[in-house]
Amino acid sequence: MDKKQSLDALAALSQETRLDVFRLLVQVGRQGLPAGEIGERLGVRQNTMSANLAILTQAGLIHSVREGRSIRYFANMDGVSGLLGFLMENCCGGAPELCQPVIAKLTCAC
Amino acid sequence: MDKKQSLDALAALSQETRLDVFRLLVQVGRQGLPAGEIGERLGVRQNTMSANLAILTQAGLIHSVREGRSIRYFANMDGVSGLLGFLMENCCGGAPELCQPVIAKLTCAC
DNA sequence: CAAATATATCAATTAATCATGATATATGGA
DNA sequence: TCCATATATCATGATTAATTGATATATTTG
């Protein structure tokens, strides 16, 4: 991922509602959630949620498919992946043990 | 890491200069860099850089030690690690292959 | 085609953030 | 103690972002 895209992703995630949305979609996994249900679960108004979903989408962190009247949203794991790659690029100045804890944190037990 | 701290870290990284600073400090590793040299390398004025270093510090992404007249800054790998842990908490809805690419991206060759 | 449901867009107000000039604090050396 | 160097803080104007009410678009159902 390039810098522009990384900045977009970080800005997208730096707002509470959007961070909540993203984590919710990460947790539900493959099945995703329709926009309306995301708004309900998080107690956010319809147009605010729509705008926030658009920002997350633009940032490459989520994607959606229409499903009848609803639109179902999913987390884009590739988005996080690319962001992390950019953050840790050429990391550690030759000291592997520096980034070890970061990697350890990510071996999720899913 | 909790939500408040994660939001601080994401907001801190969502600004170009601060993202540059953090990546620079990740890349130089253990030796770190004095504030002045960070500013020089990135072409950022003294007071702007100072404010940005304070924001990154407050967010837990970097730390510093005084060294005579200078103050030397270092990346906090634990900060990234905690942030990732929070982002991916309870991830994938039972589908391990979803977060695999994220992990793969992070096995840095340092 | 009309009504209902689900989501998106628009315009405007409010709020937060950024860079900057000026100045203050801290450290080291003469 | 006085000066120079390195960094931090303060106040302000300018840009940017967030929320909201109103409205528009798309889809399904009758």
Side-chain angles (χ1 to χ4, degrees):
Chain A
M1 183 174 324
D2 67 358
K3 193 199 285 187
K4 170 91 179 61
Q5 233 183 324
S6 298
L7 283 168
D8 284 351
L10 290 162
L13 291 175
S14 70
Q15 200 266 352
E16 183 166 13
T17 297
R18 292 193 297 259
L19 181 57
D20 289 343
V21 169
F22 181 75
R23 296 210 323 137
L24 177 57
L25 290 177
V26 163
Q27 286 168 22
V28 300
R30 285 215 181 292
Q31 74 211 42
L33 283 176
E37 189 171 343
I38 300 175
E40 270 175 38
R41 288 215 203 180
L42 300 180
V44 175
R45 286 165 197 259
Q46 188 270 318
N47 56 356
T48 298
M49 181 52 72
S50 175
N52 282 325
L53 288 170
I55 290 171
L56 285 165
T57 301
Q58 163 66 29
L61 291 165
I62 64 176
H63 66 279
S64 60
V65 297
R66 180 168 277 277
E67 210 172 64
R69 293 192 264 218
S70 301
I71 298 182
R72 184 171 292 262
Y73 283 88
F74 309 86
N76 267 353
M77 295 303 180
D78 290 355
V80 201
S81 173
L83 178 56
L84 293 190
F86 183 75
L87 278 180
M88 306 300 277
E89 198 173 58
N90 302 320
C91 72
C92 305
E97 71 276 17
L98 275 182
C99 58
Q100 232 42 57
V102 182
I103 295 168
K105 199 71 177 191
L106 261 206
T107 50
C108 77
C110 45
Chain B
M1 182 172 325
D2 66 356
K3 193 200 283 189
K4 170 88 177 62
Q5 234 183 326
S6 299
L7 283 168
D8 284 350
L10 291 162
L13 291 174
S14 71
Q15 199 267 349
E16 183 166 12
T17 297
R18 292 192 297 260
L19 181 58
D20 289 343
V21 169
F22 181 75
R23 297 210 322 138
L24 177 57
L25 290 176
V26 163
Q27 287 168 22
V28 300
R30 285 215 181 290
Q31 72 210 44
L33 282 176
E37 189 172 341
I38 300 174
E40 269 175 38
R41 287 214 205 180
L42 301 179
V44 175
R45 290 167 194 258
Q46 188 270 318
N47 56 357
T48 298
M49 181 52 72
S50 175
N52 283 325
L53 288 170
I55 290 171
L56 284 165
T57 301
Q58 163 65 31
L61 291 166
I62 64 177
H63 67 279
S64 59
V65 298
R66 179 169 279 277
E67 210 172 64
R69 293 193 263 217
S70 301
I71 297 182
R72 184 171 292 264
Y73 283 88
F74 309 86
N76 266 353
M77 295 303 179
D78 290 355
V80 201
S81 173
L83 178 57
L84 293 191
F86 182 75
L87 277 180
M88 306 300 276
E89 198 173 58
N90 302 321
C91 72
C92 304
E97 71 276 17
L98 275 184
C99 58
Q100 230 45 56
V102 182
I103 295 168
K105 197 73 176 190
L106 261 207
T107 50
C108 76
C110 43

